[in-house]
């Protein structure tokens, strides 16, 4: 190991002998090791070591436990190695101490650190980077009063606590348009009485009955007085550290594959990872509009940008990718098709939030903005959809159970809903009575229990994990123990343990002990979607690290036990709902560079209006419910039948 640079407070040296702790650990050929000691004041709390390979843009993050750290299976190359505070802990504000080192293949390298700092400054809560020094306790940022009570009981069901005081224009949800009193009045009325997502036939974002005329005025006054136009951007101070288990942290390691921002373009920010069945990881880069393929075995990153964006993506069995609202992309030809609802010259998209391929090769779609559930029919090469007859459902996350029923999270009504493709019947399950609560995603375990979480956390502002028994509707609640957090996704592993994505953390819920293990991630961020491998690695993308700062894009894997890593290749276990696509043996859907215009009517046009108590005269063609109508197509700008 060749060291470049020398810091007076860091001791660095190479070590040729193999440490005893490596005697029985797995090790990939040609990969290096890194370990060392960290001398620091106990007052500095939980520390981490970050090793960044500048040649391959691969970073490793491990925790310091009992004054020591170790990282396994490092790609050889030049490294920037730093000891720093830990994300999600108050010491995150601690300035990192960094050295440069060249680490060769199969080397047992060592770097020791000695920190002279004994304290750190304040930091703030949440998973979004905020460039501000105006950090204050919650009661200072949100003075007590009736207005605060209304915010806690309604607005915090969807919005993070720093959304209101950070009075600056940034990409939602990390910022907002600054408002004066008239602006706040319009915003409040739009939430309570307007049509969500500008859908004229749909309900408002939350029940206006939760906001009395008196509370409306109190809320507008409170927002104007405390977060009005021109007020100083502030964020809420983190007072407590979430509890961590050192025994688990000692074994854990993060490996992340990074790519930088492009000058003159929007920041990279990533969303959904997926595995292609060949060991590769695909992830959607929303900032650059297109999927990115990562081969974790070689650290080779291939960009497929400029073919449209979206939240969710899934890789088909033939290697093509589906994403956006709705786009089908062939990476071998770099060509894409689009499926759009009729209307306008080129139609309009479906507003897809999630895509899951079933064993028949059909793709189920959650249509967030239109409040619908869609299905891409493989044989007809077209889409049909149902208007979800549940008030404020707005499907978001979507999964399949072991009976091929479709489950989705109801974005704005504190519940989840099941759809039976055979009977075409919907059944809604309330998840929590603390309304309105924003629910993002869900998963199903081997016993068909459904797991989800409340992204918004009104009142207590402490997110929770929920288990639903679909047979009797019983719900069990498990608070995750992180104040002001916003849990987003749940994924069940092959042992039925539940992995949970939330601000600055990946959590494991042990179903046997009913306890959480909390793993702080490499950088401050929220985490929109997880993907768990058959070997137990948990993949995700650090969305807000790229969206709200200059971190760039990344695909990150958490290995709960670094001594059991035998390969970086990523495959689903057969039990995973997202592996159902591998069961399809039918013909592939070719990509020919066309735009398909899909007929717009829903399969059940009368059902949603019935939930509103409206007497609407409508007729339903039963034949249209049997099979989707073949779409017209557009190629080269000309429509043809």
């Amino acid at each position: 190991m060749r060291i470049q640079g020398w810091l007076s407070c860091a001791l660095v040296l190479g070590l040729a002998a193999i440490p005893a702790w490596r005697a029985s650990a797995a090790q990939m050929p040609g990969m290096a090791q890194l370990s060392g000691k960290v001398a620091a004041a106990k007052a500095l709390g939980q520390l981490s070591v970050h090793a960044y390979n500048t040649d391959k843009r691969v970073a490793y993050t491990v925790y310091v436990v009992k004054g020591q750290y170790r990282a396994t299976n490092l790609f050889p190359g030049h490294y920037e190695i730093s000891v720093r505070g830990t994300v999600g802990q108050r010491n995150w504000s601690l300035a990192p101490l960094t050295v440069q080192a060249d680490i060769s293949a199969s080397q047992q390298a060592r770097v020791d650190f000695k920190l002279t700092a004994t304290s750190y400054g304040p930091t703030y809560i949440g998973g979004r980077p905020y460039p501000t020094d105006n950090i204050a306790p919650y009661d200072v940022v949100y003075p007590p009063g009736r207005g605060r009570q209304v915010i806690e009981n309604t607005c915090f069901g969807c919005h993070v606590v720093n959304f209101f005081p950070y009075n600056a224009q940034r990409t939602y949800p990390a910022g907002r348009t600054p408002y004066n009193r008239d602006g706040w009045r319009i915003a409040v009325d739009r939430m309570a009485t307007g049509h969500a997502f500008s859908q004229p036939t749909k309900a408002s974002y939350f029940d206006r009955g939760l906001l009395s005329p008196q509370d409306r005025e109190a809320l507008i006054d409170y927002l104007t007085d405390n977060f009005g136009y021109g007020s100083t951007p502030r964020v809420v101070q983190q007072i407590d550290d979430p509890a961590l288990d050192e025994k688990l942290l000692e074994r854990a390691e993060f490996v992340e594959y990074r790519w930088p921002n492009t000058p003159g373009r929007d920041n990279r920010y990533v969303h959904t990872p997926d595995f292609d069945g060949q060991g590769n990881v695909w992830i959607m880069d929303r900032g650059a509009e297109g999927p990115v393929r990562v081969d974790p075995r070689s650290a080779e990153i291939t960009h497929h940008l400029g073919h449209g964006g979206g939240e969710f993506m899934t890789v088909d069995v033939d290697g093509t990718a589906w994403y956006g609202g709705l786009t089908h992309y062939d990476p071998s030809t770099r060509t894409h098709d689009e499926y759009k609802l009729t209307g306008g010259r080129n139609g309009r998209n479906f507003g897809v939030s999630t895509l899951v391929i079933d064993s028949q090769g059909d793709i189920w779609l959650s249509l967030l903005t239109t409040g619908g559930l869609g299905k891409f029919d493989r044989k007809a090469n077209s889409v049909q959809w149902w208007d979800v007859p549940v008030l404020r459902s707005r499907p978001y996350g979507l999964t399949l159970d072991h009976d091929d029923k479709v489950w989705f999270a109801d974005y704005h009504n504190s519940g989840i809903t099941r759809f039976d493709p055979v009977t075409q019947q919907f059944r809604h399950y309330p998840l929590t009575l603390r309304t309105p609560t924003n629910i993002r995603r869900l998963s199903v375990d081997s016993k068909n229990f459904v797991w989800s979480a409340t992204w918004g956390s009104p009142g207590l502002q402490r997110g929770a994990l929920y288990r639903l028994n679909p047979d009797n509707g019983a719900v069990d609640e498990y608070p995750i123990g992180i104040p002001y957090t916003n849990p987003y996704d749940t994924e069940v592993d092959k042992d039925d343990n539940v992995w949970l994505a939330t601000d600055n953390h990946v959590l494991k819920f042990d179903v046997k002990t009913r306890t959480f293990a909390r793993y702080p991630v490499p950088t401050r961020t929220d985490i929109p979607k997880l993907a768990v491998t058959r070997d137990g690695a948990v993949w995700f993308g650090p969305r807000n690290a790229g969206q709200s700062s200059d971190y760039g894009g990344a695909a990150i894997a958490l290995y709960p036990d670094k001594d059991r890593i035998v390969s970086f290749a990523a495959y689903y276990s057969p039990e995973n709902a997202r592996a159902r696509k591998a069961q399809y043996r039918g013909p592939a859907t070719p990509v020919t560079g066309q735009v398909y215009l899909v007929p717009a009517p829903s399969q059940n046009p009368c059902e949603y209006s019935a939930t509103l108590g409206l007497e609407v005269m409508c007729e339903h063609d039963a034949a249209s419910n049997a099979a989707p109508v073949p779409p017209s197509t557009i190629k080269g700008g000309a429509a043809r039948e």
Side-chain angles (χ1 to χ4, degrees), residues 417-618:
T417 296
R418 183 184 69 191
F419 177 72
D420 188 329
V422 177
T423 65
Q424 299 193 15
Q425 296 297 309
F426 292 88
R427 180 178 177 182
H428 174 70
Y429 294 84
L431 203 61
T432 170
L433 298 179
R434 292 199 294 272
T435 56
T437 302
N438 187 303
I439 298 174
R440 297 296 181 98
R441 302 198 177 274
L442 72 175
S443 59
V444 177
D445 66 18
S446 65
K447 300 178 181 63
N448 259 1
F449 289 127
V450 185
W451 296 85
S452 190
T454 49
W455 189 86
S457 305
L460 295 177
Q461 269 300 303
R462 294 176 184 266
L465 176 67
Y466 293 86
R467 188 189 75 165
L468 167 70
N469 184 335
D471 293 335
N472 56 21
V475 176
D476 297 315
E477 178 180 355
Y478 305 97
I480 68 175
I482 302 178
Y484 305 105
T485 195
N486 300 90
Y488 192 106
D489 185 33
T490 59
E491 278 286 328
V492 177
D493 66 21
K494 62 182 180 62
D495 298 318
D496 271 353
N497 296 308
V498 183
W499 291 89
L500 181 65
T502 191
D503 292 337
N504 305 322
H505 296 80
V506 171
L507 284 71
K508 177 184 177 182
F509 180 73
D510 189 308
V511 293
K512 295 180 180 178
T513 63
R514 297 292 195 266
T515 58
F516 286 97
R518 304 173 184 88
Y519 296 90
V521 299
T523 186
R524 180 186 291 274
T525 188
D526 78 333
I527 302 167
K529 192 73 188 76
L530 303 173
V532 181
T533 73
R534 65 190 184 191
D535 300 320
V538 184
W539 283 85
F540 62 93
R543 176 173 62 170
N544 274 297
Q547 183 180 25
S548 303
S549 70
D550 60 357
Y551 195 80
I556 305 177
L558 163 63
Y559 294 90
D561 191 343
K562 56 197 168 194
D563 292 337
R564 300 180 67 179
I565 300 174
V566 295
S567 174
F568 285 150
Y571 297 93
Y572 288 116
S573 66
E575 299 83 7
N576 193 299
R578 292 170 71 183
R580 204 75 51 85
K581 60 189 178 184
Q583 300 176 25
Y584 176 62
R585 296 292 187 268
T589 302
V591 178
T592 57
Q594 299 185 87
V595 175
Y596 294 92
L597 297 184
V598 178
S602 70
Q603 301 297 297
N604 56 342
C606 303
E607 289 191 54
Y608 180 79
S609 60
T611 68
L612 300 176
L614 301 177
E615 296 181 1
V616 179
M617 298 298 294
C618 58

Side-chain angles (χ1 to χ4, degrees), residues 21-339:
W21 48 261
R22 294 302 308 166
S24 60
Q27 170 66 20
M28 291 189 288
M31 306 296 268
Q33 311 297 314
L34 174 66
S35 63
K37 295 182 178 180
V38 177
K42 290 184 179 180
L44 294 183
Q46 177 62 61
L47 298 173
S48 301
V49 169
H50 186 80
Y52 179 54
N53 186 319
T54 60
D55 300 324
K56 286 186 171 291
R57 294 197 178 109
V58 177
Y60 300 79
T61 300
V62 293
Y63 307 101
V64 179
V65 176
K66 298 178 181 178
Q68 300 186 72
Y69 74 92
R70 59 186 178 92
T72 69
N73 292 297
L74 278 68
F75 286 100
H78 179 76
Y79 277 85
E80 298 172 350
I81 306 168
S82 61
V83 61
R84 56 179 64 179
T86 297
V87 176
Q89 302 283 294
R90 287 170 296 167
N91 67 4
W92 175 240
S93 61
L94 185 68
L97 177 62
T98 304
V99 298
Q100 309 283 327
D102 290 332
I103 301 178
S104 59
S106 302
Q107 185 178 4
Q108 306 290 329
R110 177 164 180 158
V111 176
D112 293 343
F113 292 93
K114 181 178 181 180
L115 296 182
T116 57
T118 58
S119 62
Y120 47 84
T123 190
Y124 52 89
I125 57 93
R128 288 154 184 82
Y130 289 102
T132 180
D133 294 327
N134 292 298
I135 303 172
Y138 180 80
D139 285 340
V140 175
V141 176
Y142 288 90
R146 182 55 190 166
R148 187 177 86 171
Q149 293 175 359
V150 176
I151 287 178
E152 291 175 338
N153 293 328
T154 56
C155 309
F156 283 168
C158 290
H159 296 298
V160 300
V161 292
N162 287 330
F163 175 76
F164 295 100
Y166 194 77
N167 189 43
Q169 185 72 53
R170 298 180 81 190
T171 302
Y172 179 83
R176 59 174 177 80
T177 301
Y179 292 137
N180 57 17
R181 180 179 177 81
D182 288 340
W184 279 122
R185 175 181 54 78
I186 293 171
V188 169
D189 290 344
R190 179 167 58 89
M191 294 289 104
T193 62
H195 299 289
F197 300 118
S198 301
Q199 298 292 317
T201 62
K202 300 298 182 178
S204 59
Y205 289 93
F206 69 89
D207 184 359
R208 64 184 301 177
L210 298 174
L211 192 67
S212 68
Q214 296 80 9
D215 282 347
R216 173 183 177 273
E217 292 303 315
L219 176 59
I220 294 171
D221 288 342
Y222 188 88
L223 292 169
T224 304
D225 293 343
N226 294 285
F227 315 120
Y229 188 86
S231 62
T232 301
R234 292 160 292 158
V235 288
V236 175
Q237 183 176 352
Q238 180 175 335
I239 303 300
D240 300 315
D241 287 339
L244 304 175
D245 186 333
E246 283 193 339
K247 291 183 179 179
L248 296 178
L249 298 187
E250 188 175 18
R251 299 200 303 268
E253 176 173 291
F254 290 91
V255 182
E256 62 175 309
Y257 303 81
R258 295 175 58 179
W259 55 95
N261 292 329
T262 300
R265 299 197 61 156
D266 291 337
N267 283 0
R268 307 293 198 205
Y269 65 102
V270 293
H271 203 279
T272 302
D274 192 34
F275 311 145
D276 63 5
Q278 305 300 316
N280 303 306
V281 178
W282 288 74
I283 193 164
M284 176 57 66
D285 188 333
R286 300 192 68 187
E289 294 196 339
V292 174
R293 192 194 78 163
V294 178
D295 184 340
R297 294 155 295 196
S298 64
E300 179 184 1
I301 296 176
T302 307
H303 299 262
H304 296 267
L305 309 182
H307 291 275
E311 284 191 356
F312 209 92
M313 71 170 300
T314 185
V315 182
D316 215 333
V317 291
D318 61 358
T320 60
W322 298 84
Y323 54 87
L326 176 70
T327 297
H328 187 198
Y329 174 67
D330 186 343
S332 65
T333 62
R334 293 191 177 253
T335 304
H336 70 269
D337 291 338
E338 293 183 71
Y339 296 81

